[in-house]
Amino acid sequence: MSVNVSCPGCGAAVEFKIGSSMVTVCPYCRSVVARGDRRVEDLGKVAALADTDSLLEVGLQGKYQGKPFTVTGRTQLRHAAGGIWDEWYASFANDQWGWIAEAQGRLYLTFPQRVAPGQLPAYESLAIGQSLHLFKGTYFTVAEKGEARIISGEGEVPYRLTPGEKTRSADLSGPGGLFATLDYSDDQPAMFLGREATLEELDLPERVKPVYLEERRIAGHGLNCPNCGGALELRAPDKCERVTCPNCNSLLDVSQGELRYLNALAPPQVDPLIPIGSLGKLAEGDMMAIGLVERCVTYAGRDYFWTEYLLYQAEVG
């Protein structure tokens, strides 16, 4: 049953359509409105949404494993390193909620899990690459951990969203495509478990897919290196976070929307087997090689080198 209330920030009518949602963002003044037993509360204002070229939107309906859901809201978070990503909230039947994280062109659908106090490790004890036994003999690997800040949002959210609040979390990968997030925002950490999901698995309507599959001009932006002034090119300008100048080999940060010099890299010692900018066919479709990294590990006093290539396609990421 929907509930209509007056926004304590501007007085406009706002609606809680989902019985189990805790807050909604006023579409007029962007106040975060929390409801209680007797009154509503203004938790503060969120900034305008950043343009993330998202393929989802509030009100979108789909199905996951035969269960219908509605996308009711989202939050935007800014990583300490500057990147922005979206987290969407899907309302299922019987007050069940799913979290859809959208980052780097991929979608991850997870659901909250019941965990006993003390079952999850402390945030400070986690290390990238660490193996964790979470449940039933299943081991996960810590893929990422870090802090972020809530900067914006819209629609209805199933938890008490506080603008500007810092959050700490860790993402873990498991066998068979399993994915887990450990959330350390509260005193008692929480676990969300699921997997990476495709648009088809979410059974989203056809109208959203052209936005996602739209051809981008992968030839990209033409820019100048702030160190040497030479021309360089971003072939995936909406996804790129680092670019190397082909003239002076400077490593540049582009995560803030402009070029920033980081440091100079050594010139590559090998000619790429896959030329940068070339196209090739994989099972996912045509992919473009947009970058390479030469890596090295030292074992028993000897250096072992290998090369990794970054491939990109707008549909896949």
Side-chain angles (χ1 to χ4, degrees):
M1 178 182 295
S2 63
V3 176
N4 291 296
V5 300
S6 296
C7 171
C10 68
V14 293
E15 182 180 13
F16 287 89
K17 298 179 181 180
I18 309 300
S20 56
S21 62
M22 296 186 65
V23 304
T24 187
V25 178
C26 175
Y28 303 100
C29 70
R30 305 205 57 77
S31 292
V32 178
V33 182
R35 59 177 171 181
D37 294 335
R38 297 183 178 180
R39 63 185 181 88
V40 293
E41 182 181 358
D42 186 350
L43 300 182
K45 297 183 185 296
V46 291
L49 290 164
D51 183 7
T52 57
D53 195 24
S54 174
L55 55 116
L56 300 179
E57 61 185 40
V58 172
L60 203 63
Q61 295 183 333
K63 288 183 179 179
Y64 182 68
Q65 297 181 347
K67 299 179 180 179
F69 68 84
T70 301
V71 178
T72 66
R74 68 163 156 170
T75 56
Q76 283 191 338
L77 299 99
R78 184 187 298 276
H79 192 275
I84 295 175
W85 76 92
D86 293 297
E87 289 187 356
W88 298 85
Y89 307 99
S91 173
F92 291 79
N94 300 320
D95 290 336
Q96 183 184 21
W97 287 88
W99 274 250
I100 306 176
E102 184 180 12
Q104 302 299 324
R106 298 181 183 273
L107 300 173
Y108 302 89
L109 176 59
T110 60
F111 298 91
Q113 307 294 307
R114 292 183 178 179
V115 294
Q119 177 180 343
L120 300 178
Y123 177 82
E124 291 76 13
S125 71
L126 297 177
I128 304 299
Q130 178 182 356
S131 180
L132 292 179
H133 176 218
L134 292 184
F135 63 91
K136 296 179 182 178
T138 303
Y139 286 84
F140 287 75
T141 300
V142 179
E144 182 179 354
K145 63 174 288 190
E147 293 188 349
R149 186 183 298 274
I150 298 173
I151 60 171
S152 189
E154 66 173 327
E156 296 181 59
V157 176
Y159 67 93
R160 191 176 173 87
L161 184 159
T162 304
E165 181 180 27
K166 285 186 177 181
T167 66
R168 297 190 302 173
S169 63
D171 292 334
L172 294 79
S173 59
L178 288 176
F179 178 84
T181 293
L182 305 183
D183 190 317
Y184 294 87
S185 301
D186 297 326
D187 294 336
Q188 177 65 30
M191 181 172 74
F192 301 86
L193 178 65
R195 62 178 62 248
E196 183 178 345
T198 65
L199 288 172
E200 288 71 22
E201 289 172 330
L202 296 177
D203 196 20
L204 293 171
E206 290 295 327
R207 66 188 180 88
V208 76
K209 294 181 181 179
V211 177
Y212 184 52
L213 303 179
E214 179 184 359
E215 287 276 345
R216 291 187 175 92
R217 286 194 170 274
I218 204 165
H221 277 353
L223 299 172
N224 295 101
C225 172
N227 186 50
C228 71
L232 52 88
E233 190 173 63
L234 299 185
R235 292 182 169 86
D238 56 341
K239 302 296 182 185
C240 177
E241 295 189 9
R242 299 287 189 273
V243 64
T244 304
C245 174
N247 306 290
C248 67
N249 226 50
S250 294
L251 179 64
L252 308 172
D253 172 51
V254 292
S255 63
Q256 305 297 317
E258 59 184 19
L259 294 173
R260 182 169 61 90
Y261 174 79
L262 295 176
N263 60 4
L265 299 176
Q269 300 298 312
V270 295
D271 292 328
L273 295 176
I274 306 174
I276 301 302
S278 61
L279 290 170
K281 290 184 179 295
L282 294 179
E284 293 84 355
D286 291 343
M287 305 288 289
M288 174 179 280
I290 65 171
L292 70 87
V293 175
E294 187 180 27
R295 297 185 182 275
C296 172
V297 64
T298 301
Y299 179 75
R302 183 176 178 182
D303 294 335
Y304 295 87
F305 295 86
W306 73 95
T307 303
E308 297 178 0
Y309 294 85
L310 178 64
L311 307 181
Y312 177 79
Q313 192 225 54
E315 178 181 351
V316 178

